[in-house]
Amino acid sequence: MQPNLDLRISPRTVQQETVEKLRIGIISGLFKPGSRLIESQLCAQLGISRPSLREALRSLAAERLVEIVPNRGPSIPNLSWEEATAIYEVRELLEVEAAGRCALLISPGQLAKLKQSLNAFEAAIKNNDSISRVATAADFYTTILANCGNPILEEIHSGLLARISFFRGRSMSLSGRAHGSLEEMKDIYEAIAAGDEKAAREASRLHITRAKAAAKLSMEGAKKDEPHWSEAKLRTE
């Protein structure tokens, strides 16, 4: 079931909110990979002008979430498994390093913030809120990256965040995967809270390995009659 997403824009910063709404629509699966974006329809849905929409689409094109082809218009790209693999490989390099460094550097106040984002992710799972699941998981990792002591590592990860969230949405669409993610993220949190650099790295690496396997199953067209994640996981590890 697709999320009931209200696309209308409130009188905030039109440009910023347009980008955010469209990004959520893409990551949540409201706009399917390969589908064309009809500007007139989007303008009506969002309640904005065509220039504002086109500026937002250019921002999303920079994040690789939208493809703009001359004489054809904007569309949602069909991201291949090869591209997904590259993203997961870089994500592992960045997040494993960040988790280990964070375990040594995070302050009590920031650790409390990390716990809050973990609790919010758990609440999103209980509420079966697919949009909040992706957003709160991103918040969890944003806090880890912000406390790793390396702003360049954080900057590189930020540039990949939209595509990481896209594949995270695909991964957690697989039955049972969100609960698996929660347990793995709890292990990461506990290792960081204990100041255990090695355990934080190991927990982060395991989480990304399992997320990648789930995303692969989802992208291969997993349906409701596919095995539950806890069963499918055994075939991929």
Side-chain angles (χ1 to χ4, degrees):
M1 180 180 295
Q2 295 297 335
N4 184 18
L5 182 62
D6 180 10
L7 288 173
R8 291 198 64 81
I9 300 298
S10 60
R12 188 157 71 96
T13 303
V14 172
Q15 172 65 20
Q16 181 182 359
E17 192 170 355
T18 301
V19 171
E20 290 174 0
K21 292 276 189 176
L22 290 174
R23 185 189 293 117
I24 290 171
I26 295 167
I27 290 171
S28 68
L30 181 65
F31 303 113
K32 300 294 185 183
S35 63
R36 294 184 62 188
L37 299 175
I38 309 303
E39 291 187 2
S40 59
Q41 293 178 2
L42 286 176
C43 287
Q45 284 180 289
L46 294 161
I48 61 173
S49 66
R50 186 160 293 192
S52 294
L53 174 64
R54 288 179 173 173
E55 185 62 31
L57 291 173
R58 282 192 288 269
S59 294
L60 292 168
E63 296 179 9
R64 306 290 181 87
L65 292 179
V66 168
E67 185 176 37
I68 300 176
V69 179
N71 302 319
R72 186 174 180 272
S75 62
I76 307 301
N78 274 309
L79 295 174
S80 67
W81 179 242
E82 288 72 21
E83 292 172 286
T85 297
I87 292 293
Y88 276 105
E89 287 175 353
V90 175
R91 181 183 168 189
E92 180 176 346
L93 290 171
L94 298 176
E95 291 182 9
V96 169
E97 177 68 15
R101 295 171 62 93
C102 182
L104 301 176
L105 297 171
I106 195 167
S107 68
Q110 287 296 301
L111 185 63
K113 182 179 179 181
L114 188 64
K115 180 63 172 176
Q116 287 176 348
S117 62
L118 183 62
N119 291 341
F121 179 66
E122 185 169 14
I125 293 174
K126 290 179 179 178
N127 295 330
N128 196 27
D129 187 336
S130 60
I131 294 174
S132 290
R133 282 198 312 245
V134 173
T136 53
D139 289 343
F140 180 82
Y141 286 102
T142 295
T143 301
I144 290 175
L145 269 293
N147 289 278
C148 74
N150 187 326
I152 302 302
L153 195 156
E154 181 184 4
E155 179 183 335
I156 295 170
H157 188 272
S158 177
L160 293 171
L161 185 57
R163 281 174 287 173
I164 288 172
S165 293
F166 176 85
F167 290 116
R168 180 176 284 133
R170 303 287 79 74
S171 171
M172 287 195 290
S173 70
L174 198 65
S175 177
R177 175 54 201 159
H179 289 88
S181 290
L182 175 61
E183 294 307 312
E184 293 151 18
M185 289 162 64
K186 284 181 177 178
D187 288 343
I188 295 171
Y189 169 79
E190 293 297 338
I192 290 174
D196 191 331
E197 177 186 6
K198 181 180 178 181
R201 289 175 182 272
E202 290 175 350
S204 180
R205 182 174 287 107
L206 178 61
H207 174 56
I208 295 167
T209 297
R210 290 180 172 176
K212 179 181 176 182
K216 189 173 192 295
L217 286 174
S218 178
M219 289 179 71
E220 287 173 346
K223 306 296 183 183
K224 289 184 179 180
D225 58 351
E226 285 288 316
H228 188 279
W229 162 247
S230 60
E231 300 169 0
K233 181 174 63 175
L234 297 176
R235 302 202 311 260
T236 60
E237 294 178 4

